[in-house]
Amino acid sequence: MRVPALGAHEVRLVRACSRTVTEECESAMDRVAGEQGAPVYMTWDWLKSWWEFYGGNREFALVLVGDRDQVVGFVPWYIDSVGLLGLRRRVARIVGANVPPKTFDPPIGGCSGDAVESMVRALFEQSRCDLVCLGPVSASWRGKKVWQRAIERLSASGYRWQYRRLDVRTIFLLPATFEEFVAKLSSGERKGRLKRLRQLSRSCHLVADVVSDADRVEAAFEEFVELHQRQWRSAGRRGHFGAWPKAVPFNRQLVTRQAEHGRVRFYRLVGDGQLLASRYTYLFGRTLYSELPARATGGDWDRRGVGICSMLKFVEQAIGEGISCIDSGIGHYEHKENLGGTEEEVGTWYIWKSGVVQGLLTRLSLMASRYAIDMYRKLWYRRIHRHLPREWQRPQSEAWLRYDF
């Protein structure tokens, strides 16, 4: 597939396998994502990796918005048939949206409302979708106003929509110096964290480093996975790599591909030659996306507050690199708030065609899907599955995760 010649804010829905997208189109998408402050999850290598592991028999539908010969916005969709019998619906979702949960802010801030409206209509009229789900997206998404203008126009012409709050994400807006960051903490938080850091520094030769060279990050990833899994096994849990399907090979491929662009960072804390903590991250623009932490456990390490110290050193290193923002991911965590993180809402927009029968079926399908995924996670996975013998435990089922929209 080549970048098509596009008119002024013309919309083009490209039906293509992800493997057929050319380097020209890849670079155009990465450029637009960077210019509009989209997350690293909108870079082509991330989308391509996700599709290769989780796309399965779904349909890939890339929507480009262009101005003459330049791409000015895009949304990578996939279309899936979800549900049983009469409640089976064709659902359009953002590539990557449900495994695992991230904040996907697609780069459409430079598009017109008419173009975004045409994008949604194309999904219903050309791809025969019954439901379009855009999200999760953040409250600070740059394309939010354009999107809202588009759905207001759609609602006046036979479409219905709903916004659903899903969770929160935590971001850290970093000052110019680490001293400024520490000064903004509460007195108790500041004294406690700095005291723990001094105590740890006195107990061992402490070194904080960053692994970012392309020829070292793959080894650093394997080292991280082992540390992460040891930490969670010690707590009797499976951790991220045991909870999500194909998590290790998927992230391994992400590291390999994103390293070619210099985006991978492992922030490590080493004491007396032993890896005490590591943080798996991606840098895109001036935002650092913190994927997962890992730390040593047991013995003196728990008492010495390795986790607390590693988080403080991580922020110090990020500020030293000139990073202005850390996206710490979805979910409420008190320790992040105590460290100065700011929570913002994350949610999903749903659009469907009005009509007595089709509208009712779509709303029932939404309700049934939410009920099914809630029952699966709350009853089976969190209450029953975790108590099974370790050899019987498995990652979350991809078949069930299809209902998480």
Side-chain angles (χ1 to χ4, degrees):
M1 183 194 78
R2 303 189 68 79
V3 178
L6 296 169
H9 289 268
E10 180 186 347
V11 174
R12 186 70 57 85
L13 190 152
V14 181
R15 298 179 183 281
C17 170
S18 67
R19 291 187 295 272
T20 66
V21 176
T22 65
E23 290 184 8
E24 183 184 9
C25 191
E26 294 172 20
S27 61
M29 292 170 64
D30 283 358
R31 172 186 56 78
V32 171
E35 290 173 353
Q36 297 191 29
V40 70
Y41 317 121
M42 287 289 104
T43 60
W44 178 250
D45 281 326
W46 193 289
L47 298 170
K48 181 180 180 180
S49 296
W50 191 93
W51 187 255
E52 289 174 357
F53 277 89
Y54 304 112
N57 60 356
R58 302 172 175 96
E59 299 173 30
F60 180 80
L62 172 63
V63 179
L64 301 172
V65 180
D67 187 356
R68 297 177 178 85
D69 62 344
Q70 291 291 316
V71 176
V72 297
F74 69 88
V75 181
W77 301 95
Y78 71 84
I79 301 167
D80 195 9
S81 294
V82 182
L84 299 173
L85 302 176
L87 294 182
R88 195 165 187 83
R89 304 279 89 185
R90 281 176 59 82
V91 181
R93 301 199 64 197
I94 293 179
V95 172
N98 63 333
V99 183
K102 305 282 184 189
T103 302
F104 298 89
D105 290 354
I108 59 171
C111 306
S112 68
D114 288 346
V116 175
E117 179 188 354
S118 297
M119 173 195 301
V120 177
R121 287 185 183 276
L123 291 169
F124 284 103
E125 295 168 8
Q126 297 181 35
S127 297
R128 306 183 312 281
C129 290
D130 300 298
L131 178 67
V132 171
C133 305
L134 184 121
V137 293
S138 68
S140 60
W141 172 36
R142 293 188 188 183
K144 184 177 179 180
K145 290 184 179 179
V146 174
W147 176 258
Q148 288 176 319
R149 286 199 297 270
I151 62 174
E152 285 171 5
R153 292 170 61 93
L154 287 163
S155 64
S157 59
Y159 290 84
R160 296 291 178 264
W161 63 271
Q162 177 186 88
Y163 172 79
R164 181 188 179 205
R165 181 186 186 275
L166 299 178
D167 210 325
V168 295
R169 72 164 177 174
T170 304
I171 58 174
F172 293 86
L173 300 177
L174 303 180
T177 67
F178 182 63
E179 288 72 23
E180 291 178 70
F181 175 83
V182 172
K184 290 181 180 180
L185 301 179
S186 68
S187 176
E189 191 72 21
R190 181 171 60 252
K191 291 178 181 178
R193 286 185 179 270
L194 292 177
K195 180 181 178 181
R196 284 292 187 97
L197 186 56
R198 287 193 300 269
Q199 291 174 338
L200 184 61
S201 298
R202 286 197 295 265
S203 68
C204 62
H205 177 59
L206 200 63
V207 176
D209 67 7
V210 183
V211 177
S212 58
D213 295 339
D215 58 350
R216 296 180 59 206
V217 293
E218 292 184 15
F221 173 74
E222 303 300 334
E223 180 184 59
F224 172 85
V225 171
E226 177 58 30
L227 185 64
H228 182 85
Q229 291 181 321
R230 281 205 310 267
Q231 176 187 345
W232 285 95
R233 280 197 299 266
S234 70
R237 307 287 291 275
R238 293 178 58 82
H240 178 90
F241 296 108
W244 294 97
K246 308 172 189 173
V248 171
F250 169 57
N251 281 274
R252 183 180 289 130
Q253 181 160 293
L254 284 175
V255 167
T256 299
R257 287 179 171 169
Q258 295 285 352
E260 295 175 3
H261 304 281
R263 296 174 185 149
V264 186
R265 299 281 191 283
F266 287 93
Y267 292 83
R268 309 188 312 167
L269 197 62
V270 180
D272 289 340
Q274 177 184 348
L275 182 63
L276 303 182
S278 181
R279 191 166 295 264
Y280 167 34
T281 72
Y282 290 91
L283 179 64
F284 189 53
R286 295 185 64 194
T287 298
L288 193 63
Y289 296 86
S290 181
E291 296 299 297
L292 293 167
R295 62 178 176 85
T297 58
D300 291 339
W301 301 127
D302 291 331
R303 292 195 302 273
R304 293 176 184 177
V306 168
I308 292 174
C309 296
S310 66
M311 183 65 181
L312 204 60
K313 296 299 289 185
F314 165 55
V315 172
E316 182 180 17
Q317 290 168 288
I319 292 173
E321 287 190 288
I323 292 165
S324 61
C325 177
I326 296 174
D327 183 335
S328 194
I330 290 180
H332 168 75
Y333 297 93
E334 187 176 350
H335 72 273
K336 295 180 182 180
E337 278 193 304
N338 293 340
L339 200 58
T342 301
E343 290 186 346
E344 68 172 8
E345 185 175 297
V346 171
T348 295
W349 298 83
Y350 302 90
I351 303 176
W352 64 92
K353 280 188 175 181
S354 60
V356 176
V357 176
Q358 292 302 317
L360 177 61
L361 288 176
T362 299
R363 287 193 293 270
L364 286 174
S365 178
L366 268 174
M367 292 172 59
S369 296
R370 291 171 184 170
Y371 179 78
I373 197 67
D374 283 348
M375 289 294 291
Y376 171 72
R377 282 184 170 153
K378 293 178 181 179
L379 180 61
W380 166 249
Y381 198 77
R382 295 177 184 171
R383 295 190 180 183
I384 300 175
H385 179 270
R386 61 181 295 185
H387 298 295
L388 296 176
R390 185 177 297 276
E391 60 271 18
W392 291 3
Q393 295 181 10
R394 296 291 183 271
Q396 296 178 76
S397 165
E398 286 188 66
W400 277 99
L401 289 173
R402 296 176 82 157
Y403 291 90
D404 185 16
F405 60 86

